[in-house]
Amino acid sequence: MGFFENIVLALGNLRANKMRSLLTMLGIIIGIAAVIAIETIGSSMTGAVTDSMSGLGVSNITVSLTQKSEEDSSGGFFGGGVALRLFMDSSPSDSDLLTDAMVEEYMAAFPDTVAAVQKTLQVGSATLDKYGDSGTTITASVSGVNRAVLNELDGDTPLLAGRWLRDDDGDRRICVVSEKFVEQTMGCSNTEAVGQRVTLNISGMPYAFYVAGVYTYDDESASMFGSTDDDAIQTEMYIPLDTARAITGTAAGYESLTVQVAGGVDINDFVTTTGEFFSSYYTRNDTWTVEASSLSSMVEELTSMLSTISLGISAIAAISLLVGGIGVMNIMTVSVTERTREIGTRKALGAPNTAIRLQFITEAVVLCLLGGAIGVALGVAIGAALAAFVGFAARASLTAIAVAVGFSMAIGVFFGYYPANKAAKLDPIEALRYE
């Protein structure tokens, strides 16, 4: 009997015992469905987190000042002329800051690797009256930035009117605001807002600025931070770096920088190179040094962690597959007993042991494959429904589906072999005399 004849015979036997076959497949169906559903949710969650963090600049490197540890400070609490760390300044002095000269040397050292360096100086929150309602206060977050920051911003929130800031704007009192800010405080069109004067209250002091440009408001940022009241939405206002320094009284330096890496560069290796380059300026600084980090490595670690969690839960769910396999072995053993005379007849007609064995293994594999197919369909449906419920785009894992189907076949072969081998070893004379 050929392979396809065995499949047809197996399907015929399953149809003859529909309820028993369904109950036997139930363990396989539940196990496969659970594994696929968990993997689908895990893939959806991982994809959503990765996509979200990718929008924050995965290919960027953050360079930040950080206090040296006691060991780095050469000899504990009093080593190397360092005062007791309890009394050290918690913020860097002007001489400790990263400087424009360091940035220029860095870019000159890696001209083909560094695309740009973003410089930001946080000024703080500014308040002003809502348009048409002087009793309501609107808040904006003010930041001094260079053009590299705005170039990256332009991809996600393009300019609607006016222009972006330029590095040669110096200490001019100009700003770029969002269309939401215009709506909240000016009550005019975006085009009409360009050139108009707005007076901000920053740390109790009034500052007048002229609108140079209006950018697209991203309403996803508001929902991310839970803002529901339209008046409570706080958007970003960008001003020239020199203007920000004049307002804050900050020296010409930075506590952190963001490096945009050119395409095709191994960012994980370059993070280390960048950290070593900037920290070389702080070898004689007893208190401060520089560390470099990247969201890329954070994304990889987070993805690995989520995958491990999904794998662990899937392994627990896969225990039901073992139960299902035992059920398959049990029902195939019963089937061998019920079909003893049939086996004896086939052997009496000259069927070899391998043909009898193959017949019952094929039946077990078909039983498990049908259960696996139903389980995959059910698992994808459940996983997609749960992913949609928590707000993630459903992403079924093709690898998990392939493994599940292969595992179903393996279960059929493994748990079907004992009953098949038992059938193959039956004595044809005793089998024919079996009642």
Side-chain angles (χ1 to χ4, degrees), residues 61 265-276:
I61 296 174
V265 176
D266 187 336
I267 191 167
N268 291 324
D269 288 342
F270 194 61
V271 164
T272 303
T273 303
T274 297
E276 291 173 350

Side-chain angles (χ1 to χ4, degrees), residues 18 23 34 63 77 100 116 132 150 156 191 212 218 228 264 283 287-288 294 331 337 418:
K18 296 183 181 67
L23 293 175
V63 180
F77 289 117
D100 289 319
L150 301 177
D156 299 322
T191 303
D218 181 9
T228 54
T283 54
T287 310
W288 297 92
S294 169
I331 203 65
T337 303
Y418 171 76

Side-chain angles (χ1 to χ4, degrees), residues 58-405:
V58 173
S59 61
N60 292 346
I61 296 174
T62 301
V63 180
S64 305
L65 283 178
T66 182
Q67 280 191 315
K68 289 184 175 179
S69 65
E70 294 173 10
E71 291 78 7
D72 293 335
S73 298
S74 304
F77 289 117
F78 293 97
V82 180
L84 187 66
R85 296 195 64 80
L86 180 64
F87 300 103
M88 285 184 177
D89 292 334
S90 59
S91 58
S93 65
D94 291 349
S95 61
D96 295 321
L97 298 175
L98 294 159
T99 65
D100 289 319
M102 294 179 189
V103 174
E104 290 174 4
E105 290 181 15
Y106 173 69
M107 296 185 71
F110 307 101
D112 299 326
T113 308
V114 179
V117 176
Q118 300 177 3
K119 305 171 185 177
T120 303
L121 178 60
Q122 298 296 332
V123 176
S125 294
T127 59
L128 65 167
D129 292 335
K130 178 183 178 182
Y131 177 77
D133 183 4
S134 58
T136 302
T137 300
I138 300 299
T139 305
S141 179
V142 182
S143 302
V145 296
N146 67 339
R147 183 57 191 267
V149 175
L150 301 177
N151 285 340
E152 185 172 69
L153 181 69
D154 192 31
D156 299 322
T157 53
L159 204 63
L160 297 174
R163 68 170 178 88
W164 291 112
L165 302 177
R166 297 190 296 261
D167 288 335
D168 60 0
D169 280 329
D171 59 355
R172 298 176 64 187
R173 293 290 182 88
I174 58 176
C175 62
V176 175
V177 299
S178 72
E179 58 179 322
K180 174 61 70 175
F181 179 89
V182 173
E183 174 190 323
Q184 289 173 322
T185 65
M186 305 178 72
C188 61
S189 69
N190 298 321
T191 303
E192 292 171 338
V194 176
Q196 288 199 31
R197 173 176 170 170
V198 291
T199 302
L200 310 176
N201 187 311
I202 304 175
S203 300
M205 295 292 292
Y207 293 90
F209 284 87
Y210 290 89
V211 177
V214 180
Y215 66 86
T216 305
Y217 170 67
D218 181 9
D219 55 2
E220 290 184 2
S221 60
S223 60
M224 182 182 300
F225 293 102
S227 300
T228 54
D229 183 3
D230 190 67
D231 294 338
I233 293 175
Q234 179 173 308
T235 61
E236 289 283 345
M237 171 186 286
Y238 301 102
I239 63 177
L241 269 175
D242 289 344
T243 306
R245 290 195 185 99
I247 293 174
T248 60
T250 304
Y254 315 92
E255 290 191 31
S256 66
L257 299 166
T258 300
V259 178
Q260 291 178 275
V261 180
V265 176
D266 187 336
I267 191 167
N268 291 324
D269 288 342
F270 194 61
V271 164
T272 303
T273 303
T274 297
E276 291 173 350
F277 180 90
F278 282 102
S279 62
S280 66
Y281 291 99
Y282 291 82
T283 54
R284 296 187 179 182
N285 190 311
D286 293 327
T287 310
W288 297 92
T289 187
V290 171
E291 288 186 354
S293 60
S294 169
L295 276 177
S296 177
S297 57
M298 292 176 60
V299 169
E300 289 181 3
E301 291 177 5
L302 183 59
T303 301
S304 177
M305 181 183 69
L306 291 174
S307 298
T308 302
I309 293 173
S310 296
L311 184 61
I313 298 175
S314 298
I316 296 173
I319 294 176
S320 60
L321 290 175
L322 178 62
V323 177
I326 294 172
V328 171
M329 179 184 288
N330 179 60
I331 203 65
M332 292 304 299
T333 302
V334 172
S335 180
V336 168
T337 303
E338 291 178 344
R339 295 158 62 183
T340 299
R341 288 183 61 85
E342 174 192 331
I343 295 169
T345 302
R346 288 196 61 196
K347 296 193 75 171
L349 293 173
N353 288 348
T354 53
I356 302 296
R357 189 179 294 112
L358 182 60
Q359 175 188 345
F360 284 91
I361 288 178
T362 301
E363 188 169 326
V365 170
V366 169
L367 186 68
C368 291
L369 275 178
L370 285 175
I374 297 172
V376 167
L378 189 61
V380 170
I382 293 174
L386 291 176
F389 179 75
V390 296
F392 297 135
R395 304 189 186 193
S397 173
L398 296 179
T399 302
I401 292 174
V403 170
V405 173

